[in-house]
Amino acid sequence: MNVRIPRRAAAALAALALPILALPATAAQADGAGTTLRVTMDTSGVDTLNPFLAYFDGALDIFGQVYPSLNSLRPDGSAAPYLADSWTTSADKLSWTFKIHKGLKWSDGRPITAEDAAWTLNLIMTNETAATANGSLVRNFAKVEATDANTLVITTKAPQSNMLYVSTPSSIPIVPKHIWEKHTGDLKSFKNNSFPLVGYGPWKLATYKTEQYAKLDANKDFFLGAPKYDHLLEQQYKTTDAAVAALRSGQIDYVTSMNSTQFKALQSEKDVTAFQTPGHHWTAIEINAGAKTRNEKPIGTANPALADQAVRTAIAYATDKKTLVKKVLNNLGAPGVGYLPPAWSQWAWTPEAGKAVDFDLAKANALLDEAGYKKGKDGVRTAPKSGKKLNLRLGIHSDSTGDAQISSYVKGWLKDIGIEVTIQPFGMTKLNDNLAKGDWDMLMDSWGTGPDPSYMLGIQTCDTRPQDDGTSGSTDSFHCDKAYDKLFQEQIQAFDPAERARIVGEMQDILYRHNQDMILYYDNGLSAARTDTVKGLISGKADAAGVMPTQLAFWNYAKAAPAAKSADSSMSTGTVAAGVGAVAVLGVVGGLAVRRRKAGAGDRE
């Protein structure tokens, strides 16, 4: 789950005093000669290096650096050239022609051609396993072909307005056909962990150590502009407290996904710039209204009462989102309303006047009374048909202080309306297993999106539910509504921005009323960079509220350069990894920021 979690700042002091441990030679030697830009890996980590299967943002960030895509994105979210120099569309909007840049080569010296792109997209279209992560993005494709070495033609079943966002550095990567065609038979188990990976991007993945770091080497021949550093080290930390401590001590140059306490403390730190970016993510509680497969086969163990719209709406009325923003985010965010975060204003949505579901315990109680859920002497309601008590399970991440804070508030509020809540802390793997099987009542969750919302909207369609054997699903709440699915197709076909925004608003209205994704809040992105070791890493200017534009890692990491006053811009990976090892000895201090799912195109490019 794509969860962004506040952290206890006190642990940072402990992390600073951690002993340095002896390291394997491979870690100590990972850096090599030259300069190294040292950043935190996305807090999700890497689920798999197989781009057809990956969901975690940590993996997607790496793919964006080492594999090409048809398009890149500008900071304002508009599409820009990458593998495709240019593109045109037919008068009927059913055919798109991309002119592929000539003369590019994969890192093993083989030429990059339109056939690589055609093969990648056709595999996702025709292979159920290959479609696991991104199948929804090509669902409308009728045919993809390379008409010559430098021309790719995509024919769609119906007009598709988001074509330029289908393949970007944070959505579908283009992979080398000559490497991957050998693995179509074992795609489900192929780990793609023979280094260096054969790819093409601003960086080359040289080494990856599970739950430790990814070391990338600069592609000095990258045609859009070679990185100014020789190496990029993406370091994974057990806690953001440890990452912040490493930033303070100069072990790393850049940290993201901080909590509000850490952010405010770093604002006064010497040689550090702490900054906010717009909220591209929401944190929510998923509500299981009755999990089913694509063939409508019921699965899972959800409390049947959650299939009742009155119960789900009462839960929404009983949740004080403003308090969560104040207490959990320290007001560095906004209460949740629409399904799409407000960072991209073109998709912003709010309910019509008088239809907002705001905090109101009296209204929540009245709804349950009217629906026949009577309170017993112990104050807990019973279901009118089964006579069973309303006791709901709320799954949270066991290593998340944010989940713990939120669930404590929710448990108290729901008790006030006669619903008993049992909080169930799970490790990430167990929580995700439960989600896929439908073995839950409510779960903590978070997602993010970029300038095109199709991927994020797509996970609420019926076809993202799993097959009967449990495979190929990418749903987060088992939502399925035919009217919503129809609108999903309509918004893809709408080329007029105002008309598309209107349709997307109708879709958000459906999700808001169904309340299977109860959006709690949108959190601002909180990051910090050292100014004495790196320059050019942060792009753009802050607005009147002090919020910087969206930061695209694809461009920022390539444009960053060692600062003139940097004492040692090539600090070895071994020093940083030692800190990680020491944190592991002490166990998890604070909470691990877990982000299960990918952010849509452009969110963290």
Side-chain angles (χ1 to χ4, degrees):
M1 298 204 170
N2 233 359
V3 183
R4 300 172 61 83
I5 301 161
R7 226 63 67 222
R8 288 193 298 270
L13 297 177
L16 281 171
L18 294 174
I20 300 298
L21 302 183
L23 291 172
T26 53
Q29 296 169 357
D31 227 20
T35 56
T36 300
L37 174 63
R38 304 152 302 170
V39 305
T40 52
M41 182 182 292
D42 185 89
T43 47
S44 62
V46 174
D47 51 340
T48 172
L49 289 174
N50 184 329
F52 296 103
L53 307 179
Y55 287 107
F56 289 13
D57 280 347
L60 301 173
D61 287 349
I62 291 175
F63 299 151
Q65 305 292 349
V66 302
Y67 288 120
S69 53
L70 291 179
N71 296 97
S72 63
L73 294 175
R74 298 183 180 93
D76 66 358
S78 60
Y82 187 177
L83 202 56
D85 286 330
S86 62
W87 46 88
T88 56
T89 184
S90 60
D92 61 5
K93 305 295 187 185
L94 294 177
S95 178
W96 291 73
T97 300
F98 295 85
K99 301 304 291 185
I100 304 302
H101 194 85
K102 296 180 180 180
L104 300 180
K105 293 182 180 181
W106 296 107
S107 55
D108 64 356
R110 296 280 290 269
I112 300 174
T113 71
E115 181 58 31
D116 292 298
W119 185 87
T120 300
L121 296 173
N122 274 305
L123 185 67
I124 298 173
M125 291 166 59
T126 59
N127 183 302
E128 192 71 37
T129 299
T132 297
N134 291 304
S136 66
L137 294 177
V138 301
R139 194 177 298 155
N140 185 45
F141 285 15
K143 182 173 62 174
V144 181
E145 57 185 339
T147 56
D148 61 47
N150 300 105
T151 307
L152 177 75
V153 180
I154 300 176
T155 304
T156 59
K157 302 170 187 175
Q160 184 162 335
S161 61
N162 72 328
M163 184 63 73
L164 301 183
Y165 295 94
V166 167
S167 177
T168 69
S170 55
S171 54
I172 295 179
I174 303 303
V175 300
K177 175 185 176 181
H178 67 282
I179 297 295
W180 284 85
E181 64 184 348
K182 306 169 189 175
H183 296 286
T184 55
D186 66 346
L187 197 61
K188 190 173 183 178
S189 58
F190 181 52
K191 297 182 185 297
N192 192 32
N193 59 357
S194 294
F195 304 110
L197 294 187
V198 176
Y200 181 83
W203 305 90
K204 296 176 283 187
L205 183 59
T207 308
Y208 169 68
K209 295 295 182 182
T210 303
E211 297 184 353
Q212 294 184 47
Y213 63 88
K215 185 252 185 180
L216 301 91
D217 295 336
N219 176 6
K220 296 300 185 181
D221 296 321
F222 188 57
F223 80 111
L224 292 177
K228 295 176 175 59
Y229 276 94
D230 299 306
H231 311 286
L232 170 65
L233 177 70
E234 294 198 11
Q235 185 76 51
Q236 187 170 4
Y237 287 88
K238 293 294 183 182
T239 71
T240 50
D241 290 323
V244 169
L247 183 80
R248 281 176 162 150
S249 65
Q251 290 181 312
I252 59 172
D253 305 303
Y254 185 48
V255 62
T256 61
S257 301
M258 296 184 294
N259 67 39
S260 58
T261 302
Q262 295 161 343
F263 172 75
K264 292 189 174 184
L266 286 178
Q267 285 182 305
S268 59
E269 187 82 11
K270 182 183 178 182
D271 295 327
V272 170
T273 294
F275 63 97
Q276 301 182 59
T277 53
H280 297 86
H281 297 83
W282 48 247
T283 292
I285 292 178
E286 309 294 357
I287 300 177
N288 190 348
K292 294 180 181 179
T293 67
R294 293 182 204 178
N295 295 320
E296 301 298 326
K297 174 186 175 182
I299 60 175
T301 58
N303 190 314
L306 292 175
D308 188 342
Q309 180 69 62
V311 174
R312 300 199 304 275
T313 303
I315 291 172
Y317 272 116
T319 304
D320 188 349
K321 299 174 183 179
K322 291 181 179 178
T323 291
L324 294 179
V325 170
K326 180 179 180 181
K327 299 294 186 180
V328 179
L329 296 183
N330 207 356
N331 288 320
L332 297 176
V337 186
Y339 181 69
L340 298 177
W344 307 107
S345 59
Q346 64 268 42
W347 312 121
W349 174 88
T350 55
E352 295 179 12
K355 294 187 177 181
V357 180
D358 295 323
F359 182 58
D360 191 331
L361 291 176
K363 200 159 190 174
N365 274 304
L367 272 174
L368 294 174
D369 289 341
E370 185 178 345
Y373 295 86
K374 297 181 179 179
K375 283 187 178 181
K377 293 181 179 180
D378 58 358
V380 180
R381 295 180 185 271
T382 55
K385 293 183 179 179
S386 67
K388 293 184 178 180
K389 291 185 176 182
L390 282 188
N391 188 322
L392 304 179
R393 300 163 292 173
L394 174 55
I396 69 172
H397 295 87
S398 56
D399 49 11
S400 162
T401 55
D403 278 16
Q405 286 177 280
I406 292 169
S407 61
S408 177
Y409 282 112
V410 170
K411 180 182 176 74
W413 291 325
L414 295 194
K415 181 179 180 181
D416 290 340
I417 64 170
I419 298 178
E420 197 169 39
V421 173
T422 300
I423 298 172
Q424 296 182 325
F426 292 117
M428 186 175 179
T429 299
K430 177 63 175 176
L431 190 145
N432 286 345
D433 287 345
N434 287 352
L435 186 151
K437 297 174 184 176
D439 288 337
W440 52 281
D441 295 327
M442 302 187 295
L443 288 178
M444 294 299 305
D445 194 12
S446 178
W447 285 68
T449 187
D452 183 79
S454 293
Y455 186 95
M456 193 162 163
L457 292 170
I459 64 174
Q460 299 300 333
T461 59
C462 298
D463 284 347
T464 58
R465 295 176 299 172
Q467 302 282 13
D468 285 354
D469 63 1
T471 62
S472 303
S474 58
T475 185
D476 66 347
S477 66
F478 291 89
H479 181 266
C480 178
D481 180 80
K482 298 301 181 183
Y484 178 91
D485 284 14
K486 182 174 182 293
L487 290 170
F488 179 77
Q489 294 304 322
E490 289 180 8
Q491 64 87 22
I492 287 181
Q493 298 175 35
F495 281 75
D496 178 71
E499 174 62 9
R500 191 178 182 206
R502 182 193 64 78
I503 298 169
V504 168
E506 288 187 34
M507 298 172 71
Q508 294 187 78
D509 181 68
I510 289 174
L511 295 176
Y512 187 76
R513 289 185 285 107
H514 287 182
N515 200 49
Q516 289 177 237
D517 291 79
M518 185 169 66
I519 311 300
L520 301 177
Y521 55 65
Y522 316 109
D523 56 321
N524 292 348
L526 305 177
S527 305
R530 291 202 67 92
T531 57
D532 58 341
T533 60
V534 61
K535 62 181 181 180
L537 179 62
I538 307 168
S539 60
K541 296 181 179 180
D543 62 17
V547 179
M548 296 288 291
T550 299
Q551 301 297 302
L552 303 182
F554 177 81
W555 294 116
N556 289 14
Y557 291 171
K559 293 179 179 179
K565 58 188 290 188
S566 175
D568 181 13
S569 60
S570 59
M571 179 179 290
S572 80
T573 303
T575 304
V576 182
V580 176
V583 172
V585 170
L586 296 181
V588 176
V589 184
L592 174 64
V594 181
R595 299 171 64 193
R596 184 182 77 93
R597 293 286 309 196
K598 74 181 285 179
D603 182 57
R604 291 197 73 250
E605 190 181 355

Short mmCIF file of all heavy atoms in Angstrom, two decimals, residues 564-591:
data_model
loop_
_atom_site.label_atom_id
_atom_site.label_comp_id
_atom_site.label_asym_id
_atom_site.label_seq_id
_atom_site.Cartn_x
_atom_site.Cartn_y
_atom_site.Cartn_z
N ALA A 564 30.45 23.39 -4.94
CA ALA A 564 31.86 23.76 -4.90
C ALA A 564 32.47 23.53 -3.53
O ALA A 564 33.63 23.17 -3.40
CB ALA A 564 32.03 25.21 -5.34
N LYS A 565 31.67 23.74 -2.46
CA LYS A 565 32.21 23.63 -1.10
C LYS A 565 32.09 22.23 -0.52
O LYS A 565 32.38 22.01 0.64
CB LYS A 565 31.51 24.63 -0.18
CG LYS A 565 30.00 24.47 -0.12
CD LYS A 565 29.31 25.59 0.64
CE LYS A 565 29.61 25.52 2.11
NZ LYS A 565 28.79 26.49 2.88
N SER A 566 31.65 21.27 -1.37
CA SER A 566 31.52 19.90 -0.87
C SER A 566 32.88 19.34 -0.50
O SER A 566 33.82 19.34 -1.30
CB SER A 566 30.87 19.01 -1.95
OG SER A 566 30.86 17.68 -1.53
N ALA A 567 33.02 18.86 0.70
CA ALA A 567 34.31 18.34 1.17
C ALA A 567 34.61 16.97 0.59
O ALA A 567 35.75 16.63 0.33
CB ALA A 567 34.31 18.26 2.70
N ASP A 568 33.57 16.17 0.37
CA ASP A 568 33.79 14.80 -0.13
C ASP A 568 32.55 14.36 -0.87
O ASP A 568 31.68 13.74 -0.30
CB ASP A 568 34.09 13.86 1.03
CG ASP A 568 34.35 12.42 0.54
OD1 ASP A 568 34.53 12.24 -0.68
OD2 ASP A 568 34.36 11.51 1.38
N SER A 569 32.44 14.71 -2.13
CA SER A 569 31.24 14.39 -2.89
C SER A 569 31.20 12.95 -3.34
O SER A 569 30.25 12.51 -3.94
CB SER A 569 31.14 15.31 -4.10
OG SER A 569 32.27 15.14 -4.93
N SER A 570 32.25 12.20 -3.04
CA SER A 570 32.25 10.79 -3.45
C SER A 570 32.35 9.88 -2.23
O SER A 570 33.00 8.86 -2.25
CB SER A 570 33.42 10.52 -4.40
OG SER A 570 34.65 10.82 -3.77
N MET A 571 31.65 10.26 -1.15
CA MET A 571 31.63 9.42 0.05
C MET A 571 31.21 8.01 -0.33
O MET A 571 30.28 7.81 -1.09
CB MET A 571 30.66 10.00 1.07
CG MET A 571 30.56 9.16 2.34
SD MET A 571 29.41 9.91 3.52
CE MET A 571 30.32 11.34 4.00
N SER A 572 31.88 7.02 0.19
CA SER A 572 31.61 5.66 -0.25
C SER A 572 30.27 5.16 0.22
O SER A 572 29.77 5.52 1.26
CB SER A 572 32.71 4.72 0.26
OG SER A 572 32.47 4.38 1.60
N THR A 573 29.72 4.26 -0.58
CA THR A 573 28.47 3.61 -0.22
C THR A 573 28.63 2.85 1.09
O THR A 573 27.70 2.74 1.88
CB THR A 573 28.05 2.62 -1.32
OG1 THR A 573 27.94 3.33 -2.54
CG2 THR A 573 26.74 1.95 -1.01
N GLY A 574 29.82 2.34 1.33
CA GLY A 574 30.03 1.56 2.54
C GLY A 574 29.70 2.34 3.80
O GLY A 574 29.11 1.82 4.72
N THR A 575 30.06 3.62 3.84
CA THR A 575 29.78 4.44 5.02
C THR A 575 28.28 4.56 5.26
O THR A 575 27.79 4.43 6.36
CB THR A 575 30.38 5.84 4.85
OG1 THR A 575 31.78 5.70 4.60
CG2 THR A 575 30.18 6.68 6.08
N VAL A 576 27.54 4.78 4.17
CA VAL A 576 26.10 4.94 4.31
C VAL A 576 25.45 3.63 4.68
O VAL A 576 24.63 3.54 5.57
CB VAL A 576 25.50 5.49 3.00
CG1 VAL A 576 24.01 5.69 3.16
CG2 VAL A 576 26.17 6.79 2.63
N ALA A 577 25.86 2.58 3.97
CA ALA A 577 25.25 1.28 4.25
C ALA A 577 25.52 0.83 5.67
O ALA A 577 24.72 0.13 6.28
CB ALA A 577 25.79 0.24 3.26
N ALA A 578 26.65 1.24 6.23
CA ALA A 578 26.94 0.88 7.61
C ALA A 578 25.89 1.43 8.54
O ALA A 578 25.45 0.76 9.47
CB ALA A 578 28.32 1.41 7.99
N GLY A 579 25.48 2.65 8.30
CA GLY A 579 24.44 3.24 9.13
C GLY A 579 23.16 2.46 9.05
O GLY A 579 22.45 2.27 10.03
N VAL A 580 22.84 1.97 7.84
CA VAL A 580 21.62 1.17 7.68
C VAL A 580 21.71 -0.10 8.48
O VAL A 580 20.79 -0.52 9.16
CB VAL A 580 21.39 0.86 6.19
CG1 VAL A 580 20.19 -0.05 6.03
CG2 VAL A 580 21.19 2.14 5.41
N GLY A 581 22.89 -0.74 8.40
CA GLY A 581 23.05 -1.98 9.14
C GLY A 581 22.90 -1.76 10.63
O GLY A 581 22.30 -2.55 11.34
N ALA A 582 23.44 -0.64 11.13
CA ALA A 582 23.36 -0.36 12.55
C ALA A 582 21.94 -0.12 12.99
O ALA A 582 21.51 -0.57 14.05
CB ALA A 582 24.21 0.88 12.87
N VAL A 583 21.16 0.54 12.14
CA VAL A 583 19.76 0.74 12.48
C VAL A 583 19.05 -0.58 12.59
O VAL A 583 18.23 -0.82 13.47
CB VAL A 583 19.08 1.63 11.41
CG1 VAL A 583 17.57 1.69 11.65
CG2 VAL A 583 19.64 3.04 11.47
N ALA A 584 19.39 -1.51 11.67
CA ALA A 584 18.72 -2.81 11.69
C ALA A 584 19.01 -3.56 12.99
O ALA A 584 18.15 -4.28 13.51
CB ALA A 584 19.18 -3.64 10.49
N VAL A 585 20.22 -3.40 13.55
CA VAL A 585 20.56 -4.07 14.79
C VAL A 585 19.64 -3.62 15.92
O VAL A 585 19.19 -4.40 16.75
CB VAL A 585 22.03 -3.80 15.16
CG1 VAL A 585 22.33 -4.28 16.56
CG2 VAL A 585 22.95 -4.48 14.17
N LEU A 586 19.34 -2.33 15.95
CA LEU A 586 18.50 -1.79 17.01
C LEU A 586 17.03 -2.03 16.79
O LEU A 586 16.22 -1.77 17.66
CB LEU A 586 18.75 -0.28 17.14
CG LEU A 586 20.15 0.14 17.57
CD1 LEU A 586 20.23 1.64 17.66
CD2 LEU A 586 20.51 -0.49 18.91
N GLY A 587 16.69 -2.53 15.57
CA GLY A 587 15.28 -2.70 15.24
C GLY A 587 14.72 -1.42 14.66
O GLY A 587 15.40 -0.42 14.54
N VAL A 588 13.47 -1.46 14.31
CA VAL A 588 12.84 -0.31 13.67
C VAL A 588 12.53 0.75 14.71
O VAL A 588 11.79 0.51 15.66
CB VAL A 588 11.56 -0.74 12.95
CG1 VAL A 588 10.85 0.46 12.38
CG2 VAL A 588 11.90 -1.72 11.84
N VAL A 589 13.12 1.91 14.54
CA VAL A 589 12.87 3.03 15.43
C VAL A 589 11.96 4.01 14.71
O VAL A 589 12.28 4.46 13.63
CB VAL A 589 14.19 3.73 15.80
CG1 VAL A 589 13.94 4.84 16.80
CG2 VAL A 589 15.18 2.73 16.36
N GLY A 590 10.84 4.30 15.26
CA GLY A 590 9.86 5.10 14.53
C GLY A 590 9.08 4.18 13.62
O GLY A 590 8.87 3.03 13.94
N GLY A 591 8.68 4.65 12.43
CA GLY A 591 7.89 3.81 11.54
C GLY A 591 8.45 3.84 10.15
O GLY A 591 9.03 4.81 9.70
#
